[in-house]
């Protein structure tokens, strides 16, 4: 079976990955040659690449979670990484159906496994950015006990990382034949909101509490406001 034709998008070079789907070459391609990742996902050999993108993305989130857990220490050194990886996986599973539907509405000619791989690539790139910010997050966690301050700092780092990840997703949409990607932009907002709510649903991640999961339901904005006011020192 012949692979589908290769579209052309200015600013990106779509070509095969010279070293195949190896972890090191995948990470290097995401940072230096994202067009190669998109090209490989466009071909009929995206299974192994998608697996590595998912595995590396979740591992990167867990690694950054160790830095998040250093503020409280103790059990949070394994609880925070577990929740970071679990929350990311749940957010992807929740948002994947709508991503495929919005891609179809945008006229993007891509199979569902290709769309899935691009979502994994966006998350993996986000995780790479977070790992780059990890030393900065660690030094602040050793210098302050403020959950609100560290929460804002980690949120800033995550927003920067997810911004680059969603930018890659938009480039993939243009590669597959859509220039404006209007529906994908709406999906970007949905994905960010789901991830933010996931941080509240799985709290505490930064601070510590007597229970592994919260006992009450909260909207993430209400949770942030309570944290800023110093209400409820647990379940943060």
């Amino acid at each position: 079976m012949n692979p589908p034709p290769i579209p052309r998008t200015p600013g990106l070079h779509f070509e095969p990955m010279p070293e195949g789907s190896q972890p090191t070459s995948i990470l290097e391609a995401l940072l230096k040659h994202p067009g190669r990742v998109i090209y490989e996902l466009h071909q009929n050999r995206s299974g192994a690449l998608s697996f590595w993108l998912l595995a590396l993305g979740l591992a990167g989130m867990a690694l950054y979670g160790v830095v998040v857990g250093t503020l409280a220490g103790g059990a949070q050194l394994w609880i925070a990484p577990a929740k970071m990886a679990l929350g990311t996986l749940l957010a992807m599973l929740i948002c994947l159906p709508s991503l495929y539907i919005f891609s179809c509405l945008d006229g993007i000619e891509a199979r569902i496994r290709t769309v899935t791989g691009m979502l994994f690539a966006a998350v993996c790139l986000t995780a790479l950015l977070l790992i780059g910010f990890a030393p900065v997050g660690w030094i602040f966690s050793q210098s302050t006990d403020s959950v609100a301050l560290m929460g804002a700092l980690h949120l800033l780092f995550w927003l920067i990382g997810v911004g680059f990840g969603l930018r890659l997703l938009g480039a993939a949409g243009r590669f597959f034949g859509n220039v404006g990607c209007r529906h994908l932009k709406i999906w970007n907002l949905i994905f960010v909101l789901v991830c933010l709510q996931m941080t509240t649903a799985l709290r505490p991640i930064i601070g510590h509490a007597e229970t592994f999961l919260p006992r009450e339901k909260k909207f993430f904005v209400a949770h942030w406001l309570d944290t800023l006011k110093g209400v409820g020192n647990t379940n943060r």
Side-chain angles (χ1 to χ4, degrees):
M1 180 179 179
N2 295 326
I6 306 297
R8 299 295 177 186
T9 302
L12 289 177
H13 300 285
F14 302 107
E15 55 190 8
M17 296 175 62
E19 299 179 7
S21 298
Q22 299 299 321
T24 54
S25 61
I26 291 172
L27 295 178
E28 183 177 4
L30 275 176
L31 293 174
K32 297 180 180 180
H33 308 286
R36 294 179 180 177
V37 176
I38 298 174
Y39 177 93
E40 293 290 343
L41 292 172
H42 183 59
Q43 303 306 301
N44 296 320
R45 51 180 182 272
S46 59
L49 177 58
S50 295
F51 168 79
W52 279 115
L53 288 169
L54 175 62
L56 292 171
L58 295 181
M61 289 295 180
L63 183 60
Y64 187 77
V66 175
V67 177
V68 174
T70 56
L71 180 68
Q76 285 301 115
L77 290 176
W78 69 265
I79 292 177
K83 289 184 176 182
M84 288 279 291
L86 176 61
T88 301
L89 179 60
L90 289 176
M92 287 191 292
L93 292 176
I94 291 170
C95 295
L96 179 58
S98 59
L99 174 61
Y100 180 68
I101 292 171
F102 278 40
S103 299
C104 293
L105 291 175
D106 262 333
I108 295 175
E109 296 293 336
R111 298 168 296 238
I112 187 169
R113 67 177 183 177
T114 303
V115 174
T116 302
M118 286 313 309
L119 176 58
F120 293 167
V123 171
C124 189
L125 182 57
T126 301
L128 276 177
L129 268 292
L130 286 177
I131 291 174
F133 290 129
V136 180
W138 178 82
I139 194 63
F140 274 91
S141 69
Q142 303 304 304
S143 306
T144 179
D145 292 326
S146 173
V147 174
L149 174 61
M150 290 307 302
L153 187 65
H154 291 310
L155 177 62
L156 174 62
F157 291 161
W158 180 82
L159 286 175
I160 295 174
V162 80
F164 278 92
L166 295 178
R167 181 183 177 186
L168 176 63
L169 199 62
R174 293 188 293 273
F175 171 82
F176 288 114
N178 189 278
V179 178
C181 296
R182 292 174 297 175
H183 296 93
L184 278 183
K185 292 178 181 177
I186 298 174
W187 182 88
N188 290 347
L189 177 60
I190 295 173
F191 181 70
V192 170
L193 291 176
V194 169
C195 290
L196 293 178
Q197 184 60 32
M198 196 64 65
T199 63
T200 299
L202 296 178
R203 69 187 189 279
I205 297 178
I206 298 177
H208 56 83
E210 297 177 355
T211 58
F212 184 78
L213 292 174
R215 294 170 178 163
E216 60 177 337
K217 299 178 181 179
K218 272 189 179 181
F219 183 49
F220 71 89
V221 175
H223 172 58
W224 290 355
L225 292 175
D226 288 346
T227 301
L228 290 175
K229 295 175 182 177
V231 176
N233 293 325
T234 61
N235 289 334
R236 292 179 178 177

